[in-house]
Amino acid sequence: MSETSPFFVTADWLQERLEQPGLSIVDASWYLPAQKRDARAEYDAGHIPGAVFFDHERVVDPDSKLVHALPPPKVFARFAGSMGISADDTIVVYDGPGAFTAPRVWWLFRVMGAKDVFILEGGGDGWKAAARPVTAEPTKVAPNVFDARFDATRVASFDDMMRIVKTGERQIADARPAGRFTAADPEPRPGMRGGHMPGAHSVPATSLVENGRLLPPAALKEKFAEAGVDLSKPVVTSCGSGITAAVITLALETLGHRDNKLYDGSWSEWGGRSDTPIVTGPPANRKN
């Protein structure tokens, strides 16, 4: 296990258990166009033995127009089962860099009822750089039954967010880069307004990660303090489309913070509407 977070496992830990029954390995890589990486092609060219590929574009709510919308429990269960995964498995998730999109899938499995879900420290890039075993052979999957036990209390809806913005009952932690938060930089999705929700705190996901690992707990606490986030109070996390918000969720959970929700619609919903309040410029609540 990792020394910095109870939700990470080391490459040594995983390599020693590659053939272990009840272990499911999930390649959760996904990249923005600017990163110029093809997650599926990289998986096909060489993945950790036994890993299955999690397609962020397919494991979604088929009835939603939002990007990466949380699938209904039955839909998620069908996909997970088709990947050979049971909710009782020990599930290890990884992406290329280490803590970019893997936290989203870590969160998804947990919110759908799986208990033993971990992230590979250092990611697939670190695994390959250390010359650990990879294979281009397709993983043989025996279909399984994933018994989804959805925890709706961990998810914030649009109506929830409208109330939160109005009442301030939860702190909003936004994982997007600072330039998008302030509207100094454009949103990657055409026609979408820039800025942030009133009262939101800027906590860029990249500020919480270094070399494919979460920062040590003391450094995480410092980052939240700098952003003006009080860890003794409830938090809701947000980002562009609900993916990197889970990096903040992961950091919060690592620090023992349990009263947190993830706004699944995130900015693709909030910024894509014309009836939502938006603020531009730096957050007024950031500590210097």
Side-chain angles (χ1 to χ4, degrees):
M1 296 291 180
S2 168
E3 296 179 356
T4 58
S5 171
F7 303 112
F8 279 78
V9 295
T10 65
D12 284 343
W13 185 96
L14 180 59
Q15 188 168 344
E16 290 170 3
R17 293 165 174 80
L18 286 180
E19 303 296 327
Q20 182 174 290
L23 173 70
S24 288
I25 306 171
V26 181
D27 184 332
S29 301
W30 176 88
Y31 300 104
L32 293 163
Q35 292 172 284
K36 298 181 178 179
R37 294 180 65 170
D38 185 325
R40 181 75 210 204
E42 289 186 18
Y43 171 84
D44 290 340
H47 53 267
I48 296 174
V52 294
F53 185 74
F54 185 98
D55 192 333
H56 287 268
E57 306 299 335
R58 293 184 65 229
V59 189
V60 296
D61 182 349
D63 297 323
S64 175
K65 295 180 180 179
L66 296 174
V67 182
H68 305 134
L70 180 73
K74 287 185 179 179
V75 173
F76 183 87
R78 185 171 67 249
F79 276 111
S82 70
M83 290 185 276
I85 302 172
S86 160
D88 296 324
D89 285 351
T90 296
I91 304 168
V92 177
V93 185
Y94 73 93
D95 60 30
F100 176 53
T101 55
R104 166 70 178 191
V105 177
W106 166 85
W107 176 80
L108 269 174
F109 273 106
R110 282 163 53 87
V111 83
M112 291 296 177
K115 302 298 183 185
D116 295 324
V117 192
F118 304 94
I119 297 171
L120 174 61
E121 195 171 69
D125 293 349
W127 182 276
K128 292 175 182 177
R132 295 181 184 272
V134 295
T135 180
E137 291 294 319
T139 296
K140 294 180 180 179
V141 175
N144 210 332
V145 175
F146 187 95
D147 181 17
R149 298 178 293 275
F150 178 54
D151 185 356
T153 66
R154 306 311 298 271
V155 184
S157 67
F158 175 76
D159 288 341
D160 291 334
M161 294 309 299
M162 288 292 282
R163 187 184 68 253
I164 288 166
V165 165
K166 183 178 181 179
T167 66
E169 65 192 60
R170 283 183 180 270
Q171 301 166 100
I172 304 167
D174 191 323
R176 292 175 301 151
R180 288 168 59 190
F181 182 92
T182 63
D185 297 330
E187 286 295 311
R189 296 174 180 86
M192 188 168 292
R193 295 181 295 165
H196 56 271
M197 288 173 262
H201 303 255
S202 178
V203 189
T206 53
S207 72
L208 305 175
V209 176
E210 188 173 57
N211 298 323
R213 297 165 173 80
L214 272 185
L215 296 176
L220 290 177
K221 289 179 182 178
E222 186 175 329
K223 291 295 183 182
F224 281 118
E226 289 173 356
V229 176
D230 184 342
L231 294 175
S232 69
K233 297 179 179 179
V235 176
V236 60
T237 65
S238 182
C239 61
S241 65
I243 288 184
T244 58
V247 177
I248 303 180
T249 303
L250 174 64
L252 290 170
E253 293 281 330
T254 292
L255 294 175
H257 187 287
R258 299 291 182 260
D259 193 358
N260 60 78
K261 296 175 181 278
L262 187 148
Y263 174 28
D264 191 60
S266 283
W267 198 254
S268 63
E269 181 171 50
W270 193 272
R273 299 176 62 124
S274 60
D275 59 347
T276 49
I278 285 177
V279 178
T280 58
N285 45 27
R286 188 172 186 88
K287 304 290 177 62
N288 295 320

